[in-house]
Amino acid sequence: MWDQEIKGMASAHMFIASAVFVGTLLPAIVAEKFSVYGSHLVWVYSVAGSVAAVNVAVFWLLGVGLVAKKNTLSYKVSRMVRSGLHFTLSCFFYHIIVVLYGAPLLESVLETFSLAVLLSTFTTLRCLCLLGPNVQAWIRVFSRDGAMSVWDTSLQITTACSVIGAWLGAFPIPLDWDRPWQVWPISCTLGATFGFLSGLVIAPVWIHWHRKQLTYKSK
Amino acid sequence: MERLPVLLLLLWLCSAFFVGIHLFVGGFLLVRLEVNKSSSCADALLPGAARPDFCEGGARFRRAVLLVVDALRLDFARFRGGNPRPFENKLPVLREVTSSQPEHARLFAFRADPPTTTMQRIKGFTTGSLPTFVDVGNNFASSAVLEDNLVRQLARAGKRVVFMGDDTWESLFPNQFYRSLPFPSFNVKDLHTVDDGILKHLYGTMEGADWDVLIAHFLGVDHCGHRFGPDHPAMADKLTQMDQVIRSVIRRLQNDTLLVVMGDHGMTDTGDHGGESLKETDAALFLYSPSPVFPAALSQAEPEVVPQTDLVPTLALLLGVPIPYSSIGQVILPLFHQESRTAGARSHLSQLEALWINAKQVNRFLETYSYVARDIPRESLSMLQDKFASLWNEYSSTVKEGRTASPALVAALQSYLTAVREVCQATWAKFHPLKMASGIVILATACTLCFAVSEALAGAGDTVALRASLAMGAFAGAGVAVGQLGSLGYVDAAWCLGAAILSSQLAFLWGLRRGEGRAFARGGDPRRTSGGSLSPPVFSVPLLVLALRCASLLSDSYVIAEGRVATFLLLSLGLYIPLRLNWEGLLLPTSPDCQKAPGLLPSPPLSSSAVRRESLVLLAGLGVLVASLYLSLFLHNCREEQGGCNPSPLLVPLARVQDSGLRNLRYVLSVASLAACTYALRCWLRHYGNLNGPGAAVFAARWPLPLASLCTGLYWAVSSTPERSFRGFAELIALALVVLPRVAFAFLALGATLLWMNPLTVFLKPRQAPSQGKGPAPLPRYRASTALSPEAELHHLIPQLYQRMRRSLEDGESSGGPEGDGRPAVEAYGLGTVYSAPVVLLSGLLGLGLLLLHSEGMALAFLLLLLEGTALLHLHASSMTLASLQGAHKGDFSVPWLSVLLWDLAATQFFHATGHLPTFPSIQWGAAFVGFPQGHVGTLLPGSLVALNTFSSHILFAVGCPLLLFWPLVCEVQAPRRGFGGSERNAVMEMRLRERPREFSTALLQLAARCLCVKGAQVLASALAAAILRRHLMVWKVFAPKLMFEAAGFVLATVFTLVGFALVLRVDFAVSGWFKRLIPEQCR
Ligand SMILES: [Zn+2]
Ligand SMILES: [Zn+2]
């Protein structure tokens, strides 16, 4: 039972991780003169889009998390609308946080917002898929005793890794190395992506390692 | 509580840091030995030479005029096409003369050696030597130049040197001028006094006959830069005036006179100087003579850039005086004849001869210096000596054979002189590695010690351990002293102190370890196990952030961006608090639908509304913190290394703002911020009942504080009035500029003194009510149980009294009417904040005084500082309360590392947000003139005013540090738990501390040790950075100034931390006395 769940999660994570690579490769094939640094925003949105699509698909196929109480169309629609609203709000929330951290307020607004979108894709979207548009549940998940399944634990890990990755990505910006990836917000988006990827790898390994200690309460 | 041991231990900890800093700085900052020898005409420069060398060549010029235009940057003098900026093309005379009379004039770039401060430069271009970094500090204390210098040589040769201008010269060369007309230089706001004074006498003197060398030092350009910056119409006016001066001087020159127009240094785009950017080092040098001196055509060999030291040998040889002994400059060749002198026809020196004399003199200096100081590396010294020997051979063969000077020989001589200069530069940038290493070791041990004391909490009671280790230290220090006396013959105090401190530190650490081991053997330290978390806190997030902060000091990029780095870390830590609390499940009330195992928390005494309220307070505090952090980002100044950065417009003093509407707006903003600060302080004190009663401290809060802020507001108004308006009231304004700030300072000093003398802000109101009968009823019980000694009785009585007083305080606030069930006989207002109120008040008084030393716009920064400090305190308090509400708190008073680190980062952040930077040019010298617009006599007062201005944020946060301990207790009463049955246990506020004096003193010591540890770690990191990167390109630009600022900030912050903690101990003493007086009255 345990092993099965972990294996399922590991393969799901593999799909999501491959979405990042697909999102990088696809524009490189389709568009001419594409480079991760040069046409950075294209890369960001392509990665964000593919990760979002794969995430939704994976969770829909696996049927994890989405415990629809009612099956009516109107309920589904309202749920979709609310999810979209939450996602947009989370983009703005991240944008504000990033600006407070010292990102330029007026110049390169689009770049900053793209970082916010990417972060939202890595964190909020997974919350939406797993827990639905329910902020209370989100807050609950991020506490020590809040996780109720392996998926919740993996959500904790990937979210923390993405955010920490973006945070670490800000470190090289002031250095005087004059590298192309030091331009705002490339290092942060790269940091967030690497953080997300490592979170995807770490989560099953960590859960496997700690499976004796992990006890989940009723689902 | 134990007051004296705590204070002693703290003093000892601080002194360890001070000794470490002293040792390190002593080994790191460069020192150059001065050679106290003078050249004279009779000197034979080479051993065995028959003829003397110097004065034989004969003077090419009989007289010279030296016009020093302070801060005459190179691009002020050069011509530029296109549309010029205010400072460009304002000296057309230089271009006209150099292009129309190329045989008569030249314009060179004149490169100064850093530090580019005026006194250093005057020393440099009169002695011909290189200044060292330490000399920067002497700019206030100009003392006479003891080394051989040009002025002395001229005077000895019988030349009449007339000086006028900047009075720095007079203090550097006292009684050496034939005639001297010094004018005060210190007031940078005064553009005209010095220049007008010079102009009054300059032309008359020139037309007279009683002078040979005339030195005039104009200060207007420099002061204009300091006051308005180079890009200002005033600069254009000033430069145009200088143009006129140069024209008039040229008209009055005679054929035997050389004119030198030079800047001593340049200035940055903000008008400051002191560093080593090209804009600061590159000044203009213009040479002119009515008789032709230069070759007609510009030859390739002519230098573009002339080092400042080169002026000394050139002038000396041209005027026929000996080159000063320690000069390492080389002659400026175009001023000398190319060909050798034909027998008897001309008595002037040729290029080769001048260079040869120059080389011999430099060689002699090098020999003498290496004999005295032995700090020039042997291999480079022998390389130079070989080079000189081969030059000697070549030169004597050339002279013997009567050949003309070959260009190769000239080039070889020049390269020799350049090599000497480079070797000297490298040598005088040399360090004392052993001292540096021992300084670092002592600093590191001190940090470890602070950490150990704060974690083991074994210090307060251990006077025995402290005494033993002090004795050990004294023994070791004396041992080193005796050893030094025996082997060296003298005692180096730094080493003795170092040995003493280090051995006492090690002894204490060893004692601590042993004590801990014993405690473990006895079954574990009770304090440790009660905490629940036995894991060492080394890997916790706050210490990780501290490590990041320290690591950031090792990179020049991060030091340059330090303001941003501090904000970034502060914000991260701030956001970490709620995340962490949520992770622990403490942020939200445990909702029933969550179905937690109820057994985990042993029925915590919480109500979900209290938790929710406290969470809201926490989030609001976080919001305020974030907002003030973000707003304060706009108050930063800019380093020159930061491209595309604009300094905050609020940093510009109001008097510089030209638009009157904007000026009024900014004035209103500043005064509003000031009023808001003062009002907030008063409100806080009144809210907690500390504004009642007749005590001295209450008086200090009521009157001196608002009056001083009133004076400050008035002073700003007066100082920002434009000079042109109100011409009739000039004297009144001048008087107000002196009186208003002094009165404000006097009020603040009065307030602080009163506060220290009687820090109690408690108002006791006896109540004759029916409660009298019931009130003292429980007292006999206590007396009966412990009537052994008066002290024991007191010890038990005091908590009882607090309870009753607290209740009456509470009731007195909520309902004034007398109602008599179990009411105590006495009401004490402000007892709950008896400790924090004096600290808040002292911080307020200090803050106001420090604000007065800043420019008006910084009032906003101080308001933000107040907001941020309060937000941090509330954040800390509510996270503690949340933890204790849900039963997850240890129950002692210890302040977590997280809060201490936040507090310290806030100090660093506001250092930048008040417009300061860790660089010397950014020091706000204007602070020295607040209340002293005419300048100072001594150096101590202006120096300390500037230091207070620079480190004001460190000082404020250091004094307020004890508030971290008190604030959770102060905020306790706000938790709405009155309606519950358990109200008896609550809201004792700071009296809780007196109930458990042992825990109180332990917590106080722990807080201080943590503060010291956090600060000390940063000093250690910047010392490490300076030591490791001492050959780094940026060491004198970034790391050395950062170390100096960090060390000075640490010393000031530590002193004021001690003041804050001493105040707390003073209050404790006063409270004890107060209770002793009170209780007998109430019991009988
Ligand atoms: Zn100067
Ligand atoms: Zn100056």
Side-chain angles (χ1 to χ4, degrees), chain A residues 6-19:
Chain A
I6 294 173
K7 267 180 199 157
M9 190 175 65
S11 46
H13 280 189
M14 215 178 67
F15 274 112
I16 299 170
S18 64

Side-chain angles (χ1 to χ4, degrees), chain B residues 32 95 236 328 509 579 591 632 644-645 699 830 926:
Chain B
R32 179 176 63 93
R95 180 159 172 268
I328 54 164
L509 268 180
L579 292 180
S591 47
S632 65
C645 164
F699 177 78

Side-chain angles (χ1 to χ4, degrees), chain B residues 528-536 890:
Chain B
R528 281 241 161 155
T529 42
S530 69
S533 63
L534 262 170
S535 65
K890 295 174 201 168

Side-chain angles (χ1 to χ4, degrees), chain B residues 70-71 116 118 188 219 222-223 226 265-266 271-273:
Chain B
D70 206 288
T116 48
T118 299
V188 275
L219 276 178
D222 176 63
H223 286 186
H226 285 296
H265 49 75
D272 301 310
H273 55 90

Side-chain angles (χ1 to χ4, degrees), chain B residues 12 442 467-485 491-508:
Chain B
W12 176 63
I442 289 179
R467 226 175 289 157
S469 45
L470 280 183
M472 175 89 181
F475 186 70
V480 170
V482 168
Q484 278 185 337
L485 214 56
V491 175
D492 191 349
W495 286 117
C496 302
L497 275 176
I501 284 291
L502 189 62
S503 53
S504 69
Q505 281 176 327
L506 293 178
F508 194 86

